[in-house]
Amino acid sequence: MASTGDVRRLFLQSLLSRGIVSEALCKTLYAKCVEAVKAANDDLNIASADTDEAFDEVIKQLNVSLNDLDLEIKSTQDELNGKRSFALVNTKDDELAQMATDYTPAEIVFFKAIVDQIMLARNEAFSLSSMAALREVSNIKPKSNMTKTQAETVLASFVAKGWLLRSKRGRYSLSTRTLLELYPYLKSTYGDELLYCTICHEVVTKGMGCHRPNCQVRLHFHCFNLYRRRNSACPTCKIEWPRQATDDPLTAVGEAAVRDGDDGKRRVKARRTNGDEDEDEEMEADSSQPSQPSQPARSQRNKRGSKKKAVADSDEEEDEEEEDEEVPTQEDSPPPRRRSSRR
Amino acid sequence: MARAAARSQRSSRPSQSQSQPRPSQSQRRIDDSDDEDMQDDDDGDEMVEGAGEEESSSTAELRRKANALVRYALFCEHKRMPLRREEFQKKAMGSNSRSFGRVFEMAQLTLKQTFGMEMVELQSKAALEKERTGVDEEQLEESRKATATKKKATTAGSKQYILRSTLDSTIIEYASQTIAEILDQELEDRDEEDENETLPQCYGSILSWSTADQLEPVGILYVILALILVSGRVISDTELRAHLKRLHLSSNVDINFDVKSTIPNNTQSLDNFLESLRRQGYIDQQIIGDAKKAKGPGKGKRVRSTQADNDSGIKYEWRWGVRAQSEIGEQGIAQFVAEFMVTREHEEDEDEEEGGSSRNRRRQDPQKKVEKMLDGIAKAAGGELAGLK
């Protein structure tokens, strides 16, 4: 016999079947779960959650019951449209959780490699061209026998399941779901690369930056719009801002920050064991284990100054072209072997 | 929506079959919100009194393990792989594996209360075999009892579990239907997403089968199960392939998975598809006349029934696998077939209003038609249709 508790059970099952849902859909689903249970048992007197407060309370209560299971319904704002989205996420990265995916170990390594390149993209671009993404297949350690064709299939699956976004230009970036669900991983692995929005304090991978060279302000587009309505200057350095987040001279975070040729070069996180702090290491290729940097390298922020000028200029899918060798900035790590441009 | 309705059988009607191996204590306690205090009222034989084990057997410890088991069960189900007790014990139980029974009970309760799901033990190959070969009812009865009794079940069971919904079947049915408001919202959300047109279609149901599953392969699986069922629960490989061929599924035709899958090119040949269904435990393949050498999931060598095999003189036959018995059930498939046929007929009726010549055109209560069809299917199967195991 149906009981009141079935509403939240059905609601959780619904979330489990979907991955990530917009706030509007989430609320509709809950309302329909109530109706479904009422349809099964007329006598039940179930409160609907029409108000924001009531809905928040529902989520809160569900999270109480999920807490011991290290699961949580989390929400965040979509970086592209500013809408709130909800997902049931796993908050603990234990051995059992390794199984929580239907991807094979090789596919997961590939995914991590893609995330790595997205996180380490130059100029705060936080995105990766499709060609560069396919190239990552050959960088996977241990060597996998995944073909490029297969890699395309796998990438499409990542997109279809909401782990990656693919833009009109064909560039991959992190999805809301990944930001929500893999935030602990991102934070522990790329703590220094992650940028946070000055307004909402959530991670920004698509948005704008203040154009003053040393100013750290980064905002989501929706946060910018909200802020800009009442203010005309940067909240920190007070420099005047133009009206639109995409106007010059503001800088871009995300795809718009890509410059010609950036994609040709692969960045690899340095595996540093000593504590020296200075410049960044960008070496060409051949790093071992791009997917598991042991130590966070230091901040991208330090170098932000120079990179900032990277005003987004166009790049069409360049990719294949043979790019120039990047000058290894310093300490010669093992002779930079070129490989990325070969095929 | 016939398919969706049938699909819901995977999870519906936990209560209908009497030959349930499932322990009933979960039922008993389902509405008990206070589980913590009730842990000790059964499985008393496993209560550990030794002081040395005190720590590991404390309630908190058990609860922690039970929560781990809940997580593990959810993760396994996500992959459509059965939860293996042994694997869980190895990963999470540590030294004290004796308390598994209580951990299981606690986990079962949490699954029910929080998610409306339960772990169901798959039949062991042996039990299934017994049921098949056991000609006389008595023997059959005995094997049923064997699985029904909890103590024996643990010795005879497969120690593999799947998750099944415990929600009321009316709720599941409601949750599988298109609801305009949900569909509108889904489409609106999708519009805003980038131009990804390859995403699986959305249907506006509360439970979103299209994003959680591969609909085309599931549809084909159900057809295969139906074919086996109406052929008297067993079908020769040649026969099955002949049927499938008529549905334009010859050995050289690819089965399409949607973009979520990572199968190369998102297609699979019929042979590989059958093999993967066998491995997942949905169907079972045997060499004809050699029932003992049945290949269950994970057991025995992989024998592919390709055309070549058939040429070499070895003959195969297909039956339902353990997972199909527990996830979908004969009655579920029969319902799916009957509703599908009747709905189709109905639609045709309405299309050809001028008709009336055909003997089938007699207007009949569709519900009655479905029941008649169900009877027919049971006859074709060679006996009463089984509920969920």
Side-chain angles (χ1 to χ4, degrees):
Chain A
M1 200 29 133
S3 69
T4 319
D6 286 341
V7 175
R8 36 168 231 274
R9 297 180 191 118
L10 180 60
F11 182 64
L12 281 179
Q13 289 189 9
S14 179
L15 287 184
L16 282 172
S17 75
R18 288 164 191 274
I20 189 160
V21 291
S22 72
E23 180 170 28
L25 180 54
C26 202
K27 287 180 172 167
T28 309
L29 286 173
Y30 187 79
K32 294 300 163 188
C33 290
V34 172
E35 282 180 26
V37 174
K38 276 185 178 160
N41 186 349
D42 244 351
D43 304 335
L44 293 176
N45 186 14
I46 308 167
S48 48
D50 322 333
T51 63
D52 286 352
E53 295 75 39
F55 183 74
D56 289 347
E57 186 58 30
V58 166
I59 300 290
K60 211 172 110 192
Q61 282 178 9
L62 280 170
N63 278 335
V64 169
S65 68
L66 294 172
N67 186 45
D68 285 348
L69 302 168
D70 296 305
L71 299 172
E72 187 183 349
I73 300 173
K74 281 196 181 177
S75 74
T76 191
Q77 275 177 293
D78 186 299
E79 287 191 284
L80 287 172
N81 60 24
K83 285 194 184 172
R84 189 152 285 279
S85 299
F86 288 79
L88 180 55
V89 305
N90 172 28
T91 54
K92 186 167 137 198
D93 190 19
D94 58 3
E95 193 184 2
L96 293 172
Q98 314 266 309
M99 317 235 340
T101 168
D102 32 8
Y103 290 113
T104 65
E107 287 160 0
I108 293 169
V109 171
F110 180 48
F111 180 76
K112 284 187 172 175
I114 300 290
V115 169
D116 196 60
Q117 291 305 300
I118 290 173
M119 290 310 297
L120 300 179
R122 284 187 177 67
N123 306 319
E124 303 177 358
F126 293 109
S127 61
L128 187 66
S129 77
S130 49
M131 290 306 298
L134 288 179
R135 260 187 247 133
E136 279 306 307
V137 179
S138 23
N139 296 317
I140 295 176
K141 303 277 171 65
K143 210 105 194 97
S144 97
N145 52 7
M146 199 186 287
T147 63
K148 294 243 163 120
T149 327
Q150 175 60 10
E152 262 176 273
T153 307
V154 175
L155 281 166
S157 172
F158 291 152
V159 174
K161 291 206 181 177
W163 295 110
L164 292 179
L165 294 180
R166 188 181 155 101
S167 71
K168 289 209 168 63
R169 267 161 66 189
R171 295 187 69 89
Y172 294 102
S173 62
L174 303 186
S175 67
T176 310
R177 181 173 184 186
T178 294
L179 289 174
L180 260 185
E181 188 139 9
L182 301 181
Y183 177 69
Y185 169 78
L186 294 174
K187 192 175 176 215
S188 66
T189 317
Y190 304 104
D192 294 327
E193 276 79 15
L194 284 177
L195 302 178
Y196 294 89
C197 175
T198 312
I199 301 294
C200 71
H201 308 294
E202 306 255 11
V203 174
V204 195
T205 69
K206 299 172 184 70
M208 55 71 68
C210 178
H211 54 284
R212 192 191 289 274
N214 287 314
C215 181
Q216 312 277 315
V217 170
R218 298 291 176 276
L219 303 182
H220 292 114
F221 292 118
H222 55 266
C223 294
F224 174 90
N225 292 337
L226 201 68
Y227 175 80
R228 189 64 182 78
R229 249 183 261 156
R230 290 163 184 274
N231 307 275
S232 62
C234 170
T236 306
C237 75
K238 306 297 177 203
I239 197 169
E240 283 290 315
W241 280 356
R243 295 230 138 258
Q244 301 292 326
T246 49
D247 287 350
D248 281 344
L250 294 175
T251 64
V253 175
E255 184 169 319
V258 177
R259 281 179 303 175
D260 270 344
D262 277 355
D263 288 320
K265 302 159 210 139
R266 211 171 156 259
R267 290 188 64 191
V268 160
K269 238 175 133 147
R271 304 164 56 76
R272 35 181 46 248
T273 40
N274 52 359
D276 79 312
E277 282 273 318
D278 36 22
E279 65 275 84
D280 55 313
E281 292 120 62
E282 307 188 356
M283 31 184 157
E284 199 95 350
D286 187 61
S287 66
S288 42
Q289 300 124 300
S291 58
Q292 38 187 357
S294 54
Q295 307 264 317
R298 111 292 27 241
S299 159
Q300 224 171 351
R301 289 211 176 117
N302 302 346
K303 39 194 163 134
R304 171 106 49 61
S306 55
K307 291 208 318 207
K308 284 308 282 310
K309 287 150 215 145
V311 182
D313 43 4
S314 71
D315 67 321
E316 290 321 292
E317 291 295 348
E318 31 28 71
D319 300 325
E320 265 326 344
E321 77 211 25
E322 175 91 16
E323 67 301 314
D324 354 340
E325 195 119 355
E326 156 117 357
V327 206
T329 29
Q330 96 294 15
E331 80 214 349
D332 332 327
S333 30
R337 229 186 290 143
R338 321 219 14 194
R339 46 99 245 132
S340 53
S341 53
R342 209 102 34 83
R343 58 239 67 154
Chain B
M1 281 294 97
R3 180 184 294 173
R7 182 67 182 151
S8 71
Q9 293 301 330
R10 102 178 270 141
S11 33
S12 69
R13 300 199 238 176
S15 55
Q16 80 197 152
S17 63
Q18 290 82 357
S19 57
Q20 289 293 315
R22 237 151 318 118
S24 59
Q25 52 269 59
S26 30
Q27 215 82 359
R28 227 192 304 135
R29 288 203 215 142
I30 185 157
D31 289 318
D32 243 306
S33 51
D34 184 5
D35 43 306
E36 292 291 327
D37 299 341
M38 305 205 34
Q39 293 315 318
D40 291 346
D41 66 350
D42 52 0
D43 288 329
D45 51 336
E46 282 177 337
M47 286 185 61
V48 185
E49 272 127 39
E53 282 163 300
E54 204 171 311
E55 200 200 319
S56 61
S57 64
S58 69
T59 311
E61 181 71 7
L62 287 178
R63 170 118 318 265
R64 202 179 54 72
K65 284 174 178 165
N67 287 335
L69 181 55
V70 170
R71 285 164 59 79
Y72 187 56
L74 289 170
F75 297 156
C76 287
E77 190 58 29
H78 183 76
K79 292 166 66 174
R80 295 278 181 279
M81 291 307 280
L83 179 168
R84 286 165 204 281
R85 174 173 161 175
E86 201 183 326
E87 212 167 302
F88 173 76
Q89 281 175 321
K90 211 164 24 177
K91 284 197 165 123
M93 288 297 289
S95 52
N96 189 4
S97 61
R98 280 206 63 221
S99 51
F100 181 79
R102 288 172 62 199
V103 169
F104 185 87
E105 288 303 318
M106 291 166 97
Q108 190 76 303
L109 190 66
T110 305
L111 277 168
K112 273 193 193 188
Q113 288 183 333
T114 310
F115 295 98
M117 299 178 190
E118 64 180 348
M119 292 179 278
V120 176
E121 185 167 15
L122 294 175
Q123 281 186 304
S124 71
K125 289 291 294 178
L128 197 65
E129 204 57 48
K130 226 175 177 180
E131 257 183 57
R132 266 178 208 157
T133 50
V135 194
D136 56 318
E137 274 303 306
E138 226 170 276
Q139 207 179 330
L140 237 167
E141 208 35 59
E142 215 160 89
S143 83
R144 282 221 185 103
K145 266 189 211 142
T147 35
T149 325
K150 198 190 154 213
K151 274 281 144 53
K152 280 188 193 160
T154 42
T155 47
S158 63
K159 300 199 171 141
Q160 295 186 19
Y161 304 81
I162 60 169
L163 277 186
R164 206 157 67 186
S165 175
T166 57
L167 295 179
D168 194 274
S169 58
T170 26
I171 296 182
I172 296 174
E173 198 170 330
Y174 190 101
S176 305
Q177 275 156 10
T178 297
I179 298 172
E181 289 108 304
I182 296 179
L183 186 58
D184 288 349
Q185 192 58 53
E186 282 178 342
L187 294 174
E188 194 186 319
D189 290 349
R190 190 162 286 191
D191 272 354
E192 290 189 5
E193 273 164 35
D194 29 17
E195 68 310 341
N196 246 294
E197 278 136 37
T198 47
L199 289 176
Q201 205 185 328
C202 38
Y203 294 91
S205 51
I206 293 177
L207 297 171
S208 173
W209 309 114
S210 64
T211 49
D213 244 325
Q214 292 281 344
L215 290 188
E216 182 173 326
V218 167
I220 296 171
L221 164 65
Y222 281 24
V223 168
I224 292 174
L225 290 175
L227 287 169
I228 297 175
L229 184 62
V230 299
S231 306
R233 297 194 168 100
V234 56
I235 193 169
S236 77
D237 190 58
T238 344
E239 227 179 312
L240 176 65
R241 281 164 194 277
H243 282 308
L244 292 176
K245 204 165 180 179
R246 288 173 59 195
L247 302 170
H248 298 290
L249 284 169
S250 351
S251 296
N252 53 6
V253 170
D254 285 332
I255 291 168
N256 297 307
F257 287 69
D258 70 36
V259 65
K260 297 193 303 298
S261 113
T262 58
I263 292 173
N265 300 316
N266 292 329
T267 58
Q268 206 170 32
S269 72
L270 184 61
D271 283 340
N272 287 337
F273 181 59
L274 290 173
E275 168 59 20
S276 66
L277 291 179
R278 191 193 63 73
R279 224 177 311 127
Q280 289 170 306
Y282 283 110
I283 52 177
D284 193 19
Q285 187 190 40
Q286 293 177 359
I287 296 173
I288 289 181
D290 196 1
K292 287 278 166 313
K293 287 190 184 145
K295 290 169 290 295
K299 263 190 196 165
K301 271 180 276 166
R302 238 168 58 147
V303 180
R304 293 279 203 80
S305 74
T306 59
Q307 228 41 55
D309 287 331
N310 284 344
D311 292 343
S312 70
I314 307 169
K315 293 232 163 38
Y316 296 98
E317 58 188 17
W318 297 94
R319 294 170 195 271
W320 279 33
V322 281
R323 183 159 189 134
Q325 303 276 9
S326 296
E327 179 180 307
I328 308 158
E330 291 184 351
Q331 287 171 359
I333 285 292
Q335 191 76 26
F336 163 58
V337 172
E339 276 172 13
F340 178 79
M341 299 299 282
V342 171
T343 322
R344 273 291 283 281
E345 222 170 67
H346 234 63
E347 276 162 11
E348 276 165 23
D349 277 1
E350 269 145 38
D351 286 348
E352 304 163 36
E353 214 48 75
E354 16 59 72
S357 48
S358 160
R359 48 195 150 65
N360 282 339
R361 288 289 134 78
R362 267 174 293 136
R363 295 264 161 183
Q364 249 187 39
D365 179 15
Q367 191 50 45
K368 270 195 191 129
K369 274 189 175 179
V370 169
E371 272 162 30
K372 236 176 144 183
M373 191 79 71
L374 285 174
D375 283 347
I377 294 169
K379 250 179 229 148
E384 207 179 312
L385 299 173
L388 289 172
K389 304 274 176 183

